[in-house]
Every structure is written in C-alpha cells, then in structure tokens.
Amino acid sequence: MRYWLMKSEPSVFSIDDLMNKPSQTEPWEGVRNYQARNFMREMRCEDIAFFYHSNCKDAGIVGVMKIIHEAYVDDSAQDPNSPYFDPKSTPDNPRWWRVDVGFVEKFSRVITLHELKEKVELADFQLVQRGNRLSILPVTPYQWEVIIALLGR
DNA sequence: GCCAACGTTGGC
DNA sequence: GCCAACGTTGGC
C-alpha cells in the first residue's frame, strides 16, 4: 500500500465538502499536469492520501482519504462547459485521468504548511521544497508517520 | 491581489 | 530541440 498527498483549493472542493456528501466519495477530476496525472495512474485501491488545502488562509493537511477507484478517463476534459475542458484530450486519445477517493477522517486541526516546513525529518518531502506546485505527491511511510505524529495522539 | 517559480506552447 | 513568451499555481 502506498501513501499520497492530494491538494485542493477549499473554495473549490474542501474536506468538509467530501465529508458531508452522502456518498462521502468524489471523482478527483481536473488534474491537468502530467506528473500529477502519472502519480494518479500509480494509485491502487486502498492506498491512502492526505487531503491538503491549498491557496487559502490556513494551507495545510486537513485529513485522510482512501483511493476507492483506480485511474480512469477524466471526461471533464471533453466537456466544453467544464472549467477543466482541454480540446487536446479526445475520446480516442484521452490525455487526462482521474481516480475516485473516499472520506476517511478529518483531523481535529489543520497541520499547517508552516509546521511541516519546520520538521527536519520532512526536509526531503516534495511539498515543502521551494517552488513546489505539484498537486499530487507521493509520501513515504516514514514521512506519513512523522506527519501523523504531529497530531500528538 | 501580488509575484516568484514553474510547466507548456509554439516559432524558428 | 532550443528557448522566449505565456499561463498557472499557490504562499504570503
């Protein structure tokens, strides 16, 4: 089983949105970066991922999700009315993929980016490195453990 | 809302 | 295949 981190702007889709959906699941669509897409294709059912709130006041890790459906075609790329429309992705040759995620838990507090940057043990974590913009990143088991320990429970 | 850092595009 | 121009991301 592998660990991941997935970013979303809470004004677009937040952990509360996921938690409060009757299904508590969501197709993770709109990823339009090749590296992030490739990571999604590596995801397997039962992998787990941190939910990260980006581009907001309290940026940081807010909870945990699990992968409940492996990568399949993101057809929002073929929808001209979608904000994620990409005319270069065609039904014959789809360019973008998505996975389905399920809610696992919402943390009692946000583990802030600031906190993560202060942890020497996380110096290698892609998230805290300069200029990082990837919306989906792998997390090592050790990094996962260090981050969970920040919750002090 | 600013802007640095990065990814992508496309002309050559 | 280089690289300038452009668009996007995301912290602040």
Side-chain angles (χ1 to χ4, degrees), chain A residues 5 50 60-62 107-123 125 127-128 142-153:
Chain A
L5 178 143
F50 285 128
I61 297 171
V62 292
F107 295 149
S108 53
R109 66 177 187 88
V110 179
I111 303 175
T112 63
L113 180 61
H114 177 72
E115 237 178 303
L116 297 169
K117 282 182 170 166
E118 287 202 323
K119 268 282 169 190
V120 177
E121 294 92 329
L122 298 175
F125 190 25
L127 183 80
V128 303
Y142 174 68
Q143 288 163 349
W144 185 276
E145 203 178 307
V146 169
I147 293 166
I148 290 290
L150 290 170
L151 292 169
R153 58 189 193 191

Side-chain angles (χ1 to χ4, degrees), chain A residues 1-97:
Chain A
M1 190 197 71
R2 296 184 65 184
Y3 300 96
W4 305 94
L5 178 143
M6 301 170 82
K7 297 181 185 176
S8 178
E9 300 189 20
S11 61
V12 177
F13 187 75
S14 72
I15 185 114
D16 289 324
D17 294 332
L18 180 64
M19 182 173 68
N20 295 328
K21 280 184 82 171
S23 67
Q24 295 198 319
T25 69
E26 175 77 1
W28 204 266
E29 61 185 27
V31 173
R32 297 292 178 266
N33 169 283
Y34 289 105
Q35 225 182 322
R37 179 203 69 182
N38 293 343
F39 283 138
M40 269 201 297
R41 285 167 145 176
E42 291 178 25
M43 291 176 175
R44 295 295 171 257
C45 282
E46 303 306 316
D47 281 4
I48 54 179
F50 285 128
F51 195 131
Y52 180 92
H53 280 176
S54 66
N55 200 15
C56 60
K57 191 161 80 49
D58 293 309
I61 297 171
V62 292
V64 176
M65 308 180 279
K66 65 181 173 206
I67 308 306
I68 60 167
H69 195 297
E70 293 175 11
Y72 61 107
V73 172
D74 180 354
D75 56 17
S76 68
Q78 268 101 250
D79 175 4
N81 296 317
S82 165
Y84 307 124
F85 178 59
D86 178 1
K88 288 171 186 155
S89 186
T90 62
D92 289 346
N93 189 18
R95 184 179 279 210
W96 304 117
W97 301 71

